[in-house]
């Protein structure tokens, strides 16, 4: 019933919103300025090109960040100064923190659907390389379907040991020790269609947050009538993996290293990954949506 209500609301409530094909939110933090610069220097257009992409292709790209525990402090002022220069941020009413990523993701989707009426909403980390042309070409294939969840689907172990990275305090909910999570998209990059983003926005107060952000998002969608698309082009490795695929015409949507949950040493390596695995600057402008 709530999903039906969210669909109706999404249809009727789009008046006054900015129309877009896709909104791409790049999750970032206060200490990640060099990461953001590496993204701006490679796969994310800047300045006039960023605004042109939004106007001509309906592609909105923003770095997504909240505020510090001391609102208006030195960290927030640094982002204010960067935003005044680059004009490529989406600011959330959210206190930044590693253990608050699920809450940030939930608020991100709630916020973007209140600003942009888009077909798809994407979340990507700031240490992942993305080929925007391939991303929108991939999304366009599913434009006619109402409830789509696209990413590299996985089912990792539920870690019950305290102190372990990705420890799940609520491990007991997933059955006996040694069980795995339900299938969900890995958190480096994934996309959801409009109906699902609207559903998250409407039901945000009662959507439970697990320890891991990608698991939380997967749980919000798991019980709904949704098509899970397991697209392995969204989790290519860095060179030589994505380089070999590019050479034979199988350009990747996204590339990163599993061992680092992103491009290892991304500040130093993002340009090399882009040069080896990038689709070329013209690809996004030639993409047919």
């Amino acid at each position: 019933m709530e999903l039906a209500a969210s669909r109706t609301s999404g249809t009727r409530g789009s008046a006054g919103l900015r129309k877009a094909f896709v909104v791409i939110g790049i999750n970032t933090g206060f200490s990640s300025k060099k990461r953001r610069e590496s993204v701006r220097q490679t796969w994310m257009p800047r300045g006039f090109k960023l605004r042109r992409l939004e106007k001509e292709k309906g592609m909105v790209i923003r770095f997504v960040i909240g505020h510090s525990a001391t609102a208006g402090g030195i960290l927030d002022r640094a982002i204010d100064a960067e935003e005044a220069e680059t004009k490529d941020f989406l600011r959330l009413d959210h206190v930044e923190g590693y253990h608050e990523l699920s809450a940030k993701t939930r608020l991100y989707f709630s916020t973007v659907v209140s600003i942009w009426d888009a077909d798809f909403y994407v979340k990507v980390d700031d240490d992942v390389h993305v080929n925007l042309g391939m991303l929108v070409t991939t999304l366009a294939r599913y434009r006619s379907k109402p409830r789509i969840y696209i990413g590299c689907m996985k089912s990792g172990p539920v870690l019950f040991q305290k102190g372990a990275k990705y420890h799940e305090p609520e491990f007991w909910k997933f059955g006996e020790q040694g069980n795995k999570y339900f299938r969900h998209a890995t958190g480096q990059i994934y996309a959801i269609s409009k109906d699902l983003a609207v559903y998250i926005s409407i039901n945000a107060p009662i959507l439970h947050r697990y320890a891991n952000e990608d698991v939380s998002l997967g749980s919000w969608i798991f019980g709904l009538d949704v098509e899970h698309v397991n697209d392995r082009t969204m989790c290519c490795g860095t060179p030589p993996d994505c380089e070999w695929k590019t050479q034979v015409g199988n350009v990747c949507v996204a590339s990163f290293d599993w061992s680092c949950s992103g491009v290892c040493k991304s500040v130093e390596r993002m340009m090399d990954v882009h040069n080896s695995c990038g689709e070329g600057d013209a690809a996004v402008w030639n993409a047919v949506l």
Side-chain angles (χ1 to χ4, degrees), residues 95-110:
V95 178
E96 287 290 327
Y98 179 77
H99 296 293
E100 298 299 324
L101 289 176
S102 293
K104 183 176 181 180
T105 296
R106 190 176 62 182
L107 183 57
Y108 161 65
F109 286 117
S110 297

Side-chain angles (χ1 to χ4, degrees), residues 200-222:
I200 291 171
S201 176
I202 289 174
N203 295 287
I206 57 171
L207 293 178
H208 187 68
R209 291 173 291 151
Y210 290 101
N212 300 299
E213 173 261 342
D214 52 357
V215 172
S216 294
L217 189 282
S219 73
W220 304 335
I221 290 174
F222 186 70

Side-chain angles (χ1 to χ4, degrees), residues 120-226:
F120 295 96
Y121 301 89
V122 172
K123 176 259 174 181
V124 59
D125 289 340
D126 63 6
D127 57 353
V128 171
H129 181 270
V130 178
N131 281 316
L132 292 172
M134 281 304 301
L135 173 62
V136 296
T137 299
T138 298
L139 296 178
R141 297 189 201 123
Y142 303 98
R143 199 170 193 172
S144 63
K145 297 190 176 184
R147 295 173 300 280
I148 295 290
Y149 175 32
I150 308 172
C152 288
M153 300 295 164
K154 66 174 185 176
S155 180
V158 181
L159 301 180
F160 60 89
Q161 304 94 336
K162 287 186 177 180
K165 190 177 183 181
Y166 308 126
H167 167 62
E168 177 58 74
E170 297 181 272
F171 63 88
W172 62 275
K173 288 185 177 180
F174 297 91
E176 302 303 319
Q177 292 183 3
N179 275 3
K180 292 186 175 182
Y181 288 114
F182 41 78
R183 291 284 176 184
H184 61 278
T186 185
Q188 285 87 352
I189 181 173
Y190 52 75
I192 61 175
S193 55
K194 174 182 175 180
D195 279 3
L196 299 182
V198 172
Y199 173 86
I200 291 171
S201 176
I202 289 174
N203 295 287
I206 57 171
L207 293 178
H208 187 68
R209 291 173 291 151
Y210 290 101
N212 300 299
E213 173 261 342
D214 52 357
V215 172
S216 294
L217 189 282
S219 73
W220 304 335
I221 290 174
F222 186 70
L224 306 179
D225 184 14
V226 173

Side-chain angles (χ1 to χ4, degrees), residues 200-271:
I200 291 171
S201 176
I202 289 174
N203 295 287
I206 57 171
L207 293 178
H208 187 68
R209 291 173 291 151
Y210 290 101
N212 300 299
E213 173 261 342
D214 52 357
V215 172
S216 294
L217 189 282
S219 73
W220 304 335
I221 290 174
F222 186 70
L224 306 179
D225 184 14
V226 173
E227 181 177 345
H228 288 55
V229 178
N230 182 25
D231 190 330
R232 308 314 289 184
T233 68
M234 296 179 74
C235 54
C236 295
T238 55
D241 180 43
C242 59
E243 187 174 22
W244 292 338
K245 292 173 180 175
T246 300
Q247 289 173 354
V248 297
N250 297 323
V251 179
C252 294
V253 171
S255 301
F256 58 88
D257 301 299
W258 286 105
S259 60
C260 299
S261 297
V263 175
C264 294
K265 298 180 179 179
S266 65
V267 173
E268 295 84 6
R269 295 183 58 231
M270 189 67 79
M271 184 59 75

